[in-house]
Amino acid sequence: MNETMVCVVGNVATRPVYRETASGPAARFRIAVTSRYWDREKSAWADGHTNFFTVWANRQLATNAAASLSVGEPVIVQGRLKVRTETREGQQGWMSADIDAVSIGHDLARGTAAFRRAQRPEQASAPERPEPNWESGTENSAIADGTAPQRQPEPAAVT
C-alpha cells in the first residue's frame, strides 16, 4: 500500500455535488488551500499561492459531506492524493490533483460546529445498552450479572 496520504486545511470552494451511483453515494467539492507566510518588510502575515484540490467522498462520508458543507467553511480533509494528467487532441495537456477522502471535518481552530450522529437504518432498531460504571474495578464484575447498585451522580464543583 504505497499511497500518498495527505491532510489539507483550507476552505470549501464549491458547493458539494452529490450523486447516487451504482456503487453507492458519491460527492465531490473543491477545496482551496492558501499558504501564509510572515512578511518581514511589512511585519504582517501575507497570503501566498492558493492550491485547489478536488475532494471525492464515497458512501456515508459522501452523504454526510453533502449535508454538512457549504462554500467558504473552513475544513480539514484527510485522504489519498491522486495527481492526474490528461492530453486532448488539439489542446494543451492539463493536470489535476484529487483527494480520495477518508475523513472530512470542520476546522474548529476557526469556528464552532455542532455534531449530529447520522442515523443508519440498522442502528434505529438496536436496543440501548446501559453505560458501564468505569469508576471501580469491583463494580464492573457486578454490572455483567445486573446486580450493580445504582449510584446518584455527584455535582461537579466549579471554582
Side-chain angles (χ1 to χ4, degrees):
M1 290 213 294
N2 294 330
E3 298 174 328
T4 305
M5 296 297 288
V6 295
C7 182
V8 296
V9 179
N11 293 316
V12 177
T14 62
R15 181 182 56 80
V17 175
Y18 178 82
R19 300 274 191 265
E20 286 286 342
T21 65
S23 60
R28 68 173 161 75
F29 65 94
R30 303 269 289 161
I31 184 172
V33 180
T34 303
S35 63
R36 297 197 34 101
Y37 65 94
W38 181 255
D39 188 342
R40 290 182 185 174
E41 294 175 5
K42 297 179 183 175
S43 295
W45 286 98
D47 287 340
H49 179 73
T50 300
N51 292 307
F52 288 90
F53 300 95
T54 300
V55 178
W56 294 88
N58 296 303
R59 295 178 288 285
Q60 189 64 40
L61 182 59
T63 303
N64 294 343
S68 302
L69 301 178
S70 298
V71 173
E73 292 181 341
V75 291
I76 301 173
V77 175
Q78 181 181 10
R80 292 180 267 315
L81 178 65
K82 298 188 180 200
V83 178
R84 297 183 300 137
T85 59
E86 187 173 321
T87 55
R88 296 180 182 162
E89 289 185 36
Q91 294 181 357
Q92 189 176 26
W94 59 270
M95 295 180 78
S96 70
D98 297 350
I99 299 173
D100 187 11
V102 173
S103 181
I104 302 170
H106 285 103
D107 184 359
L108 297 182
R110 297 190 277 161
T112 62
F115 180 79
R116 289 183 311 276
R117 187 170 303 279
Q119 290 292 328
R120 295 183 184 173
E122 64 272 6
Q123 286 180 337
S125 62
E128 285 193 33
R129 294 181 296 184
E131 182 71 25
N133 186 347
W134 299 102
E135 292 183 9
S136 67
T138 58
E139 292 180 11
N140 285 341
S141 61
I143 289 174
D145 61 8
T147 61
Q150 296 294 323
R151 295 178 63 185
Q152 294 295 330
E154 296 178 19
V158 178
T159 56

